[in-house]
Amino acid sequence: MSQIMFNIPKEENMGSGHVACPGCGATLSMRYALKALGLDTMIVIPACCWSIIDGPTPSSVNKVPVFHTAFETAASTASGIKAGLKAQGKDDVTVLAWAGDGGTFDIGFQALSGAAERNEDIIYISYDNEAYMNTGIQRSSATPYGAWTTTTPAKHPKDRPKKNLVEALAAHHIPYIATASVAYPDDFIAKVKKAKSIKGMKFIHVLSPCPPGWKSAPENSIKLSRLAVESKIFPLFEIENGWRYRITHEPKDVPVKEYLRLQGRFAHLTDKDINQIQKEVDLNWKRLKMKVKLSEEDEKLLAEIANE
Amino acid sequence: MDRVLNKNLQKYFNPETTEEIKVIEGTHSASYAVKLARVKVISAYPITPQTSIVEKLSELCANGEIPAEYIKVESEHSAMAAVIGAESTGSRSFTATSSQGLALMHEVLHWAANARLPIVLANVNRALAPPWSIWADQTDSLAQRDTGWIQFYCESNQEVLDMIIQAYRIGEEVMLPVMVNMDAFFLSHTSEPVALPKQELVDKFLPPYKPKFKMDVADPHAFGGLAGPDSYMEFRYRIQEAMEAARELIPVVAEEYNHYIGRYHGALLEEYRTEGADYLLITAGTITGTSRLVVDEYREKGINLGLVKLRAFRPFPTEDIRRIAKNVKKIGVIDRNISFGQSGIFFSEIKAALYNSDVHPLLNGYVAGLGGRDVVPQNIRDIVEHLMKSEKGQDLVWIGVKI
Ligand SMILES: Cc1ncc(C[n+]2csc(CCOP(=O)(O)OP(=O)(O)O)c2C)c(N)n1
Ligand code: SF4
Ligand SMILES: [Mg+2]
């Protein structure tokens, strides 16, 4: 454990005084991201919990410039900021688009897709708490199958699977995509640093526990983050150039039940429902492993072509 | 006739200040203005009849004539968001759109103004669908009235070029974005001789953008975070203050432009043969040119008809309208736009401006030329005849409707 903590930069580029709920994964995510990125960073925040967490105008908990922008414009505003800086020869500043799942998977998806296709030189981090929390826990396309939200009440919980955004972005062939978790700060920070070192579009998907939205205990946020990874519900991996898959943490075989049963939003699920989810998760894990294998094959193929 | 022609030619061709005269469309006029204004970031999305602005800018950027970053976004909404981002870093930015594209931008138009970012947008006034129409109609930009943008309406391609350059001077001083409007096809796709001023003179008139506030890692701030009821209203008060400042500044900038470049199109509005006028037409955009002709005809007949061309819509030239209205008997406003359930939009504004004035001339509102329908001299004559015969003001008179 001490070995892991050793890799985390000491600087606190997110100050104190944020106004998030206790146990907020989104807040811890920002703290880690800014540790990795340093002060030569500008943040774009669309409508989401973070529009509040940062503090009322004109204050900010972050020690770097923050531009609050419209809900669906994180990627487009960030593209503009990057271009504005570039036009002034300030190309070394990192532009970070920081959005929730709603602003990323749903309303901001078009702008994100556009920025990805243009291969904008920005880092886009989506902290995914799997619902619209700012407006009071409504479903998003990132809400998992079976979850309760205020618009998917327990009697009719979400009946569609979570959108696989990472795959959608992989289809854009961007240089770097990663998943990250606040329970694995070393992995988290390494990925953000790697993203910073790469030119072009980078996307990092962070699962962010939200005690009020998940009906979970604030002190369980790290535990839930860890269980999501170890149960393979949220595996830690990265994708380079849309095809080179690499799993960055080999999960243990924790049943999904352990993760689901700690959250009130899944309280209505029967054991049968949970078995169904387990099957789905196992299948997705196999698919991911296959993609890793396939990218190893791909690698060989590319080497052969290069040698011809 | 000769005298008039010479005067007009002089207006376009001032050899001392002109680099080159090009015979170009309004869209290209806008593109060259962007070059002359030394814009740093462009982001736009194509829509007929704005496309040739985008295409020309692509060409000028590609061949290095415009050393700007050009973000080719996937929508107008993103175009506006991108220039908002760019401008927030202190880079002079430009976008262009029309009709549906402007409507799509609506949310972020508010954002640009409320964030006090002096972006310049060239809008080609085109009708909104359905039914689909690509032709001239000013409802698109007038529907953005309350977004906090300064708005200008142009009569010629030369005015488009001159106003885009002036827009940066005005917007950057008062920290508000500026929309420069031109009628679809009548300007956007009609070639006219346009004098491109010498770059060094434009540089004197328009120094590099130095924002008071910007996104800067050396001086980090958060922009646009939550403001409660105890502080929000002050932000709005400041925007109104900026609009009032723009009202004072626009005439000054027009004079300055005249000083450096030698061309003047008027201040908030332009008066044409209003001296001693009993009757007055008020227009905006290209209907003005046709109206000038008809005014000349009536003046020749000894009827004292005058014309006011509205140039600025926001800030509105309230005081000028009151001053001019003082001495006229009847005013006819011609609108190529409509606010359903009310009347032509310029008409409403003029009526509102006159309510708190001491004089109340008869006021008629004429809606004409929607969706690019030609407004020919005979339409204007019909309007003038109707106006002269009117005994009571009428809010909405349709011109040339086949129903
Ligand atoms: C155009 C628009 N529609 C709706 C909203 C209202 N709104 C603000 S934040 C939000 C949900 C944000 O969800 P997410 O992106 O997941 O972030 P979270 O609140 O969960 O952190 C919504 C619907 C808005 N601000 N703008
Ligand atoms: S509602 Fe959830 S995401 Fe929002 S601040 Fe609270 S814990 Fe964080
Ligand atoms: Mg969310």
Side-chain angles (χ1 to χ4, degrees):
Chain A
M1 200 63 185
S2 60
Q3 184 62 38
I4 289 167
M5 301 314 281
F6 190 67
N7 291 327
I8 299 169
K10 287 214 166 54
E11 307 91 83
E12 294 293 357
N13 298 329
M14 192 188 102
S16 54
H18 70 74
V19 294
C21 319
C24 173
T27 308
L28 196 49
S29 303
M30 179 69 92
R31 186 170 158 220
Y32 289 151
L34 285 187
K35 276 175 177 286
L37 293 175
L39 292 175
D40 273 347
T41 304
M42 290 185 180
I43 311 174
V44 180
I45 302 180
C48 58
C49 268
W50 252 102
S51 349
I52 309 300
I53 297 171
D54 195 48
T57 219
S59 61
S60 172
V61 301
N62 291 314
K63 297 178 185 168
V64 299
V66 171
F67 193 83
H68 291 276
T69 194
F71 195 12
E72 59 291 303
T73 63
S76 41
T77 306
S79 304
I81 288 181
K82 188 68 194 185
L85 292 169
K86 219 167 150 193
Q88 297 170 43
K90 297 177 188 164
D91 211 9
D92 48 340
V93 175
T94 301
V95 179
L96 170 66
W98 184 268
D101 48 297
T104 305
F105 290 61
D106 293 341
I107 200 166
F109 183 58
Q110 175 181 324
L112 171 60
S113 171
E117 187 274 334
R118 295 191 303 274
N119 198 24
E120 293 288 346
D121 188 20
I122 59 173
I123 302 179
Y124 191 118
I125 299 185
S126 179
Y127 69 92
D128 177 10
N129 48 28
E130 305 195 309
Y132 303 160
M133 297 311 178
N134 174 297
T135 40
I137 324 169
Q138 295 84 25
R139 63 97 84 184
S140 78
S141 61
T143 303
Y145 175 85
W148 161 92
T149 67
T150 56
T151 50
T152 50
K155 273 193 181 161
H156 298 280
K158 178 128 185 269
D159 59 357
R160 293 287 300 150
K162 183 183 177 81
K163 185 189 279 182
N164 193 337
L165 187 74
V166 158
E167 280 301 315
L169 281 163
H172 287 69
H173 311 291
I174 60 175
Y176 188 67
I177 299 171
T179 61
S181 162
V182 287
Y184 301 85
D186 52 341
D187 179 81
F188 189 125
I189 285 169
K191 282 169 175 167
V192 178
K193 279 192 169 166
K194 183 166 177 180
K196 186 181 168 167
S197 74
I198 295 170
K199 244 197 143 46
M201 182 80 182
K202 288 83 58 175
F203 181 82
I204 299 177
H205 181 196
V206 183
L207 186 71
S208 298
C210 165
W214 291 12
K215 297 188 175 176
S216 58
E219 63 272 23
N220 276 346
S221 286
I222 300 296
K223 187 173 181 182
L224 282 169
S225 294
R226 187 174 306 121
L227 287 173
V229 172
E230 300 300 350
S231 68
K232 307 179 188 107
I233 280 185
F234 192 80
L236 294 179
F237 64 103
E238 53 184 24
I239 312 170
E240 285 172 12
N241 300 317
W243 64 269
R244 191 187 285 125
Y245 285 69
R246 200 171 70 84
I247 289 163
T248 60
H249 174 87
E250 206 52 50
K252 305 183 180 70
D253 248 338
V254 176
V256 295
K257 194 172 181 173
E258 278 187 38
Y259 171 73
L260 299 174
R261 283 297 184 220
L262 280 178
Q263 303 171 61
R265 64 173 172 156
F266 295 116
H268 53 276
L269 296 184
T270 61
D271 281 347
K272 203 174 142 213
D273 295 333
I274 289 179
N275 273 342
Q276 192 55 40
I277 292 172
Q278 182 69 60
K279 276 187 192 147
E280 206 54 49
V281 167
D282 291 344
L283 187 66
N284 283 338
W285 173 250
K286 278 191 185 131
R287 283 186 180 129
L288 182 63
K289 293 284 258 191
M290 267 167 65
K291 278 175 193 147
V292 173
K293 242 202 175 126
L294 204 71
S295 46
E296 283 159 7
E297 297 286 314
D298 255 4
E299 198 112 41
K300 275 186 220 150
L301 203 71
L302 281 176
E304 273 170 31
I305 291 169
N307 285 337
E308 265 169 21
Chain B
M1 192 63 195
D2 257 12
R3 197 183 54 82
V4 176
L5 199 67
N6 282 337
K7 219 176 107 201
N8 279 347
L9 268 181
Q10 260 173 21
K11 185 175 156 192
Y12 281 100
F13 184 59
N14 183 340
E16 309 241 308
T17 64
T18 300
E19 183 66 46
E20 184 185 4
I21 296 182
K22 276 187 185 289
V23 179
I24 49 175
E25 299 174 349
T27 51
H28 289 179
S29 200
S31 309
Y32 282 107
V34 169
K35 179 186 173 195
L36 287 163
R38 295 192 186 277
V39 165
K40 290 247 168 41
V41 178
I42 300 164
S43 186
Y45 189 81
I47 178 169
T48 305
Q50 158 266 31
T51 29
S52 22
I53 303 182
V54 180
E55 288 165 357
K56 190 74 190 171
L57 285 174
S58 301
E59 179 194 318
L60 293 173
C61 285
N63 68 18
E65 273 187 74
I66 300 183
E69 296 293 320
Y70 191 160
I71 318 173
K72 288 151 195 173
V73 282
E74 84 303 328
S75 72
E76 288 87 353
H77 198 283
S78 286
M80 183 45 63
V83 289
I84 284 171
E87 192 82 29
S88 77
T89 68
S91 286
R92 187 173 282 159
S93 305
F94 175 83
T95 188
T97 188
S98 177
S99 177
Q100 312 292 134
L102 189 67
L104 184 62
M105 280 181 184
H106 179 71
E107 180 201 25
V108 261
L109 289 177
H110 279 283
W111 207 283
N114 292 348
R116 308 296 301 271
L117 299 169
I119 295 155
V120 172
L121 181 158
N123 180 58
V124 183
N125 286 122
R126 160 187 154 175
L128 286 150
W132 283 115
S133 165
I134 54 169
W135 294 280
D137 193 307
Q138 296 160 333
T139 310
D140 60 351
S141 54
L142 292 169
Q144 307 303 334
R145 184 188 69 171
D146 302 332
T147 53
W149 282 64
I150 292 170
Q151 284 198 16
F152 289 107
Y153 289 80
C154 299
E155 185 190 353
S156 67
N157 294 349
Q158 184 68 59
E159 194 175 8
V160 168
L161 179 128
D162 294 335
M163 284 323 292
I164 287 175
I165 297 168
Q166 290 183 44
Y168 281 106
R169 263 285 277 116
I170 297 159
E172 288 171 10
E173 191 156 331
V174 301
M175 294 169 67
L176 285 178
V178 186
M179 192 184 297
V180 177
N181 292 286
M182 69 182 100
D183 285 338
F185 296 98
F186 299 122
L187 287 190
S188 72
H189 286 66
T190 304
S191 292
E192 293 179 347
V194 174
L196 306 186
K198 289 184 173 147
Q199 183 70 58
E200 64 266 27
L201 295 176
V202 176
D203 290 345
K204 276 191 188 143
F205 168 78
L206 179 67
Y209 177 39
K210 290 225 171 60
K212 266 195 213 148
F213 310 98
K214 64 174 178 181
M215 291 279 282
D216 184 359
V217 286
D219 183 22
H221 293 282
F223 298 92
L226 189 74
D230 57 334
S231 65
Y232 181 85
M233 207 161 154
E234 284 66 29
F235 287 98
R236 300 307 89 147
Y237 180 86
R238 294 281 184 222
I239 293 177
Q240 175 63 12
E241 247 182 3
M243 272 290 180
E244 303 287 353
R247 207 196 298 271
E248 302 298 316
L249 183 66
I250 290 164
V252 176
V253 168
E255 290 293 349
E256 266 178 43
Y257 194 80
N258 194 17
H259 170 78
Y260 285 109
I261 315 291
R263 210 167 16 251
Y264 182 77
H265 301 277
L268 294 164
L269 48 73
E270 183 207 332
E271 295 179 50
Y272 182 70
R273 304 190 79 165
T274 52
E275 62 293 344
D278 296 318
Y279 309 104
L280 197 68
L281 293 178
I282 303 185
T283 56
T286 51
I287 290 180
T288 311
T290 318
S291 302
R292 286 180 201 271
L293 191 90
V294 174
V295 167
D296 288 348
E297 280 175 19
Y298 277 87
R299 282 282 178 170
E300 237 150 76
K301 284 196 266 180
I303 293 165
N304 290 333
L305 178 66
L307 174 69
V308 164
K309 169 176 125 183
L310 289 174
R311 302 187 66 249
F313 174 62
R314 281 294 177 272
F316 197 74
T318 308
E319 287 308 322
D320 291 312
I321 295 285
R322 286 179 186 166
R323 173 180 50 77
I324 297 162
K326 250 189 187 126
N327 304 312
V328 299
K329 295 193 183 97
K330 295 178 183 181
I331 300 176
V333 183
I334 309 178
D335 275 291
R336 181 172 245 144
N337 60 75
I338 184 158
S339 173
F340 301 117
Q342 176 64 344
S343 61
I345 297 167
F346 288 116
F347 170 80
S348 292
E349 296 272 333
I350 288 158
K351 193 165 74 163
L354 290 175
Y355 190 85
N356 277 347
S357 142
D358 338 320
V359 284
H360 299 99
L362 181 142
L363 192 64
N364 281 351
Y366 300 93
V367 166
L370 300 187
R373 184 166 299 181
D374 256 348
V375 178
V376 297
Q378 190 50 47
N379 296 129
I380 312 278
R381 284 181 211 118
D382 292 346
I383 288 171
V384 176
E385 292 301 321
H386 180 275
L387 180 68
M388 292 197 302
K389 281 198 203 97
S390 290
E391 285 172 5
K392 217 172 140 244
Q394 276 172 270
D395 285 0
L396 178 54
V397 182
W398 289 86
I399 297 302
V401 174
K402 297 176 280 190
I403 288 175

